[in-house]
Amino acid sequence: MKKIAFLLLANLVFIFHLGAQNNKAENPIIYADVPDASMVRVGDTYYMSSTTMHMSPGLPIMKSKDLVNWELINYAYDVLGHNDELDLENGKSMYGRGSWASCLRYHNGKFYLSTFSATTGKTHIFITENLEKGAWKKIEFKPSYHDHSMFFDDDGKIYIIWAAGKLNIAELKDDLSGVKEGTEKVLIENASAPAGNNIMLGAEGSQLFKVSGKYYLFNITWPRGGMRTVIIHRADHINGPWEGKVGLQDLGVAQGGLIDTPEGKWFSYLFKDNGGVGRIPYLVPVEWVNDWPVLGEHGKVPETLDLPKSKGLIPCIVNSDSFERKKNERDLPLVWQWNHNPNNSLWSVRERKGFLRLKTGRIDTLFVQAKNTLTQRTIGPESKGATLLDVSNMKDGDVSGLCLLQKQYGFIAVKMENSVKKIIMVSAATGSEKELKSIPLKQNQVYLKAECDFRNQKDTGRFYYSLDGKTWESIGEAIKLPYTLPHFMGYRFGLFNYATKQIGGFVDFDYFNISDKISE
């Protein structure tokens, strides 16, 4: 009897422990491409900016009440500027470029959000009192300060720190219109030094913080044969002297900074390169020891965190869309981004109620050079996107469908060739487009689906079609979904339509549904 009672008690303890674990947040906190995070807390609300480079609108902003459940609330810009690369004109593009790592700061009741772009050659600063609704004041100046950190010091001076390996610092003008002449100097000669001499990536991704009167500078470096590593430098004065140490070296989780909670807990927000799904955010707990932030649990990234459990990325980071719009609703929810600056005369969610209409306006021969591809993030560990496509108004040579967008992209589409429609599956796995399969289509509506499997970095995608929305058929073959630097972004679901022979055709997408489960 005692043995039975003991076993019952042991089971109850195990179930209680399991329940407690199941109610904790898990790393990664966002299983999707949200790299280069910069974060601030205002009262009990956290705000985060990130990188989406070539996408438009750009420089996404998210908010959270618990550091785990994040919601897209705005973008800093609709378009960063106009040139052939940004506008996807004359065979040029900004894939993998556009705007890179941003810096989000809050000072005297205003939010300051800055980024830099080699594509424009400028540093861009956006200012508002309300990240969700406020009008943006925009400032831009040359040059483009790489991976910079803005910092508002207690004495009223405003600094910018930038570069890689040898880090530079300068004062910004009071109106933020540029650097004060004569203030630029080297801050740290070799910021990678704490990680050794054999460095593949010089310390970059600067983020500067001030805690209890001391300055803390976070960077990422990458020793050869090693992994992405957090470097932390500390100083009593912003001009130094600086002393540095390795802050974290585990799982390649690195690049980010510090955030505290209203209750006084500290965390470091970082990210990990995670294959085809992209660069995904992690949190690690921070303890303060001898005025140093000590990251992780015994130097390791924990699997669980003493924070609320995630409710999932749908609908706050990605979401399904019926394309139904009320009169005063925005045309596109924030989850959507165009592959480059769009041509707004060639798309509509108002012309046909409950549909996204994509029109052709020029001739393109390559999918990645086509404008107005409307995208959302894929999510891990698995996800699928599906749509119903009406191709009644295609013209000869038109290609329209559902893609998985990165450099080695794939897509399922309807192509009209010699007045005959067919379903095709295309892969760019070898570096150029290849049509792997085609099937005649004898109706004007077809259901399309793309599935991504990122489990254990399997990184594969498959495409399916259905003629009735019930029975699905696989088409072509599974494609690898590798993360490539030319695009520098996780794979994206995308809806597209482009012309190869004549303009004036259009297609209508009835909906886009996204799910965190796949069929296989």
Side-chain angles (χ1 to χ4, degrees):
M1 193 68 168
K2 288 182 179 179
K3 186 176 181 180
I4 293 173
F6 174 79
L7 289 173
L8 286 172
L9 180 61
N11 284 333
L12 286 172
V13 170
F14 175 77
I15 291 169
F16 176 81
H17 175 74
L18 188 62
Q21 290 295 103
N22 288 340
N23 287 325
K24 286 188 173 184
E26 297 178 358
N27 269 319
I29 57 166
I30 301 176
Y31 209 137
D33 194 58
V34 183
D36 304 329
S38 183
M39 200 179 293
V40 296
R41 177 176 62 84
V42 181
D44 64 352
T45 304
Y46 305 93
Y47 297 95
M48 175 170 65
S49 63
S50 178
T51 296
T52 50
M53 290 171 295
H54 44 277
M55 296 292 172
S56 178
L59 220 174
I61 304 153
M62 290 154 258
K63 77 171 183 179
S64 173
K65 289 289 187 179
D66 58 17
L67 283 173
V68 176
N69 293 283
W70 293 89
E71 174 189 3
L72 271 166
I73 60 169
N74 209 345
Y75 292 93
Y77 62 83
D78 287 327
V79 295
L80 189 63
H82 290 285
N83 57 33
D84 282 352
E85 288 83 2
L86 295 165
D87 293 332
L88 204 60
E89 296 283 356
N90 297 317
K92 296 183 178 180
S93 75
M94 62 167 171
Y95 287 115
R97 298 188 298 278
S99 63
W100 283 10
S102 62
C103 177
L104 177 61
R105 294 290 179 258
Y106 182 74
H107 179 68
N108 289 344
K110 293 182 179 180
F111 293 93
Y112 296 81
L113 186 52
S114 63
T115 188
F116 70 102
S117 173
T119 314
T120 64
K122 298 176 181 178
T123 297
H124 303 260
I125 301 175
F126 306 88
I127 308 168
T128 186
E129 294 181 1
N130 189 319
L131 283 177
E132 295 188 63
K133 301 177 181 178
W136 294 97
K137 178 182 179 182
K138 301 178 183 180
I139 300 170
E140 56 186 31
F141 54 83
K142 292 185 176 182
S144 172
Y145 287 107
H146 176 82
D147 272 16
H148 67 258
S149 177
M150 289 180 61
F151 184 76
F152 295 83
D153 211 345
D154 300 333
D155 59 3
K157 292 182 178 180
I158 311 168
Y159 295 93
I160 185 169
I161 296 168
W162 75 95
K166 179 189 289 188
L167 302 181
N168 301 315
I169 188 172
E171 286 186 47
L172 288 173
K173 297 176 182 178
D174 292 342
D175 62 1
L176 303 180
S177 61
V179 165
K180 288 183 179 180
E181 291 185 11
T183 65
E184 181 178 333
K185 60 184 178 181
V186 175
L187 182 69
I188 302 174
E189 184 68 34
N190 180 10
S192 308
N197 297 320
N198 193 14
I199 299 298
M200 180 171 64
L201 174 70
E204 61 178 15
S206 294
Q207 294 200 35
L208 181 63
F209 307 89
K210 194 173 188 178
V211 181
S212 300
K214 291 183 181 292
Y215 298 85
Y216 297 90
L217 180 63
F218 275 60
N219 291 98
I220 176 181
T221 194
W222 198 334
R224 294 185 188 278
M227 66 181 72
R228 300 166 75 254
T229 300
V230 178
I231 298 294
I232 304 173
H233 282 84
R234 182 183 71 177
D236 292 322
H237 190 277
I238 195 165
N239 292 314
W242 292 86
E243 55 180 328
K245 62 192 299 185
V246 171
L248 183 71
Q249 199 171 53
D250 185 43
L251 302 178
V253 173
Q255 190 165 342
L258 289 170
I259 194 75
D260 67 338
T261 71
E263 297 78 26
K265 292 182 179 180
W266 286 85
F267 292 90
S268 181
Y269 54 88
L270 307 163
F271 72 82
K272 178 185 178 184
D273 294 340
N274 210 67
V277 74
R279 298 181 288 168
I280 58 180
Y282 280 69
L283 283 176
V284 298
V286 172
E287 297 290 340
W288 290 90
V289 179
N290 298 326
D291 294 328
W292 281 100
V294 178
L295 277 56
E297 295 179 354
H298 306 292
K300 300 295 182 182
V301 176
E303 293 183 0
T304 61
L305 299 158
D306 190 18
L307 291 168
K309 187 176 178 64
S310 173
K311 298 174 184 176
L313 305 186
I314 303 170
C316 294
I317 301 297
V318 298
N319 200 15
S320 299
D321 195 342
S322 68
F323 299 119
E324 295 277 354
R325 299 290 184 266
K326 295 178 181 177
K327 185 177 180 180
N328 295 321
E329 281 186 317
R330 62 183 299 141
D331 281 357
L332 290 177
L334 295 171
V335 294
W336 290 112
Q337 290 174 286
W338 301 101
N339 62 327
H340 277 65
N341 291 348
N343 182 334
N344 290 321
S345 69
L346 297 177
W347 69 273
S348 175
V349 289
R350 308 284 180 179
E351 289 186 16
R352 183 180 177 186
K353 186 177 180 180
F355 289 81
L356 166 69
R357 177 164 291 178
L358 296 181
K359 311 171 188 178
T360 63
R362 72 177 190 190
I363 305 301
D364 288 296
T365 57
L366 196 63
F367 162 68
V368 285
Q369 285 296 327
K371 280 196 178 186
N372 288 12
T373 296
L374 188 60
T375 78
Q376 285 198 40
R377 293 170 177 84
T378 59
I379 62 175
E382 54 186 329
S383 54
K384 67 181 175 185
T387 188
L388 172 57
L389 176 61
D390 185 335
V391 295
S392 305
N393 296 285
M394 295 181 83
K395 289 187 177 294
D396 206 50
D398 288 0
V399 183
S400 177
L402 172 65
C403 70
L404 292 172
L405 174 60
Q406 229 269 4
K407 180 178 184 291
Q408 293 179 217
Y409 57 86
F411 64 76
I412 182 172
V414 175
K415 182 177 183 179
M416 187 145 170
E417 198 168 51
N418 299 320
S419 300
V420 176
K421 298 184 181 77
K422 60 180 180 178
I423 304 170
I424 62 172
M425 184 265 162
V426 168
S427 170
T430 60
S432 59
E433 283 189 9
K434 287 189 178 180
E435 186 178 305
L436 301 185
K437 186 72 174 179
S438 69
I439 299 168
L441 179 65
K442 298 180 180 179
Q443 59 191 58
N444 283 324
Q445 288 192 332
V446 62
Y447 299 82
L448 307 176
K449 181 170 65 175
E451 294 190 345
C452 303
D453 189 349
F454 300 113
R455 292 171 294 186
N456 300 314
Q457 290 194 286
K458 186 177 179 181
D459 291 359
T460 56
R462 282 190 174 274
F463 296 95
Y464 302 82
Y465 73 94
S466 174
L467 301 178
D468 58 9
K470 299 175 183 178
T471 303
W472 290 89
E473 298 289 341
S474 176
I475 183 171
E477 60 188 45
I479 62 170
K480 292 298 293 181
L481 304 176
Y483 189 93
T484 71
L485 292 183
H487 275 216
F488 219 165
M489 184 176 289
Y491 273 80
R492 290 256 173 161
F493 294 114
L495 307 177
F496 66 92
N497 181 36
Y498 66 97
T500 65
K501 293 182 179 180
Q502 57 185 312
I503 64 172
F506 63 88
V507 296
D508 293 323
F509 293 89
D510 192 359
Y511 59 79
F512 174 78
N513 288 340
I514 189 168
S515 170
D516 59 3
K517 300 294 181 186
I518 62 175
S519 57
E520 294 184 1

